[in-house]
Amino acid sequence: RDVDSFPARRSAVLFAFTRLGFTTGLIRRVAVVAGCRIAQIDLFPPSGVTAGWQKTSETRVFPAKDLWRYIDGDADRYLKAGVISAATSDYKYREQLSAVVDVYTMSDSAGARKILDGDRSSSTRGVPLGDEGIAFEQSIAFRKGSRFVRIVSF
């Protein structure tokens, strides 16, 4: 399959995220610590937990006051929704697909819902992930409890 063509890339992204168990492992980790607000807990699956996926970076954590260092142009929207911290890590799938996974810990589930709802557009469609999820052309986003997760491929 040619993952450089747009339709093939989109199919590969959605297949890799949803069918190969990556998001399932991530959702399990998010659910285990859903009530915990300690930013030091690593929510990200290590390499090899899901076949084909390799974690290619250390997890980086940004407390609310430093969120602008990661998402400068959009930090205010997250702060207004009650973000506590953001954690991010990079992954690669079989040397063909790279992805950035962001997990935002919000003060409550309403904050996670507010961010997800703000991401909806006519080009998104619902997907059965976490409490609620949406898919874009090259990414997916979902919420689980007080966590908002975004996975972007490139």
Side-chain angles (χ1 to χ4, degrees), residues 49-85:
V49 169
T50 303
W53 284 99
Q54 297 297 312
K55 187 174 179 188
T56 59
S57 72
E58 293 295 319
T59 300
R60 299 166 309 278
V61 178
F62 299 88
K65 68 180 181 65
D66 294 330
L67 190 57
W68 63 271
R69 294 176 188 260
Y70 183 57
I71 54 168
D72 187 23
D74 210 18
D76 283 343
R77 181 169 76 107
Y78 286 80
L79 291 169
K80 289 176 183 173
V83 70
I84 294 170
S85 66

Side-chain angles (χ1 to χ4, degrees), residues 119-147:
D119 282 355
R120 293 184 195 281
S121 72
S122 61
S123 64
T124 59
R125 63 180 177 83
V127 293
L129 293 173
D131 295 331
E132 181 180 16
I134 55 176
F136 301 84
E137 293 297 328
Q138 291 185 263
S139 65
I140 57 175
F142 65 92
R143 62 180 184 84
K144 177 71 178 171
S146 63
R147 306 249 198 254

Side-chain angles (χ1 to χ4, degrees), residues 5-143:
S5 71
F6 184 74
R9 183 175 182 81
R10 180 175 182 216
S11 295
V13 168
L14 293 177
F15 177 79
F17 288 153
T18 61
R19 301 288 186 240
L20 297 178
F22 183 82
T23 53
T24 303
L26 187 60
I27 289 169
R28 279 193 205 118
R29 286 175 177 270
V30 168
V32 166
V33 294
C36 183
R37 296 197 176 149
I38 299 171
Q40 290 77 14
I41 294 174
D42 194 348
L43 299 170
F44 300 89
S47 294
V49 169
T50 303
W53 284 99
Q54 297 297 312
K55 187 174 179 188
T56 59
S57 72
E58 293 295 319
T59 300
R60 299 166 309 278
V61 178
F62 299 88
K65 68 180 181 65
D66 294 330
L67 190 57
W68 63 271
R69 294 176 188 260
Y70 183 57
I71 54 168
D72 187 23
D74 210 18
D76 283 343
R77 181 169 76 107
Y78 286 80
L79 291 169
K80 289 176 183 173
V83 70
I84 294 170
S85 66
T88 185
S89 196
D90 301 327
Y91 286 86
K92 190 164 269 241
Y93 178 70
R94 298 185 191 221
E95 301 300 322
Q96 297 177 359
L97 181 73
S98 295
V100 176
V101 180
D102 296 332
V103 177
Y104 297 87
T105 301
M106 311 302 286
S107 59
D108 57 29
S109 61
R113 179 180 290 117
K114 183 175 183 178
I115 296 299
L116 185 69
D117 288 346
D119 282 355
R120 293 184 195 281
S121 72
S122 61
S123 64
T124 59
R125 63 180 177 83
V127 293
L129 293 173
D131 295 331
E132 181 180 16
I134 55 176
F136 301 84
E137 293 297 328
Q138 291 185 263
S139 65
I140 57 175
F142 65 92
R143 62 180 184 84

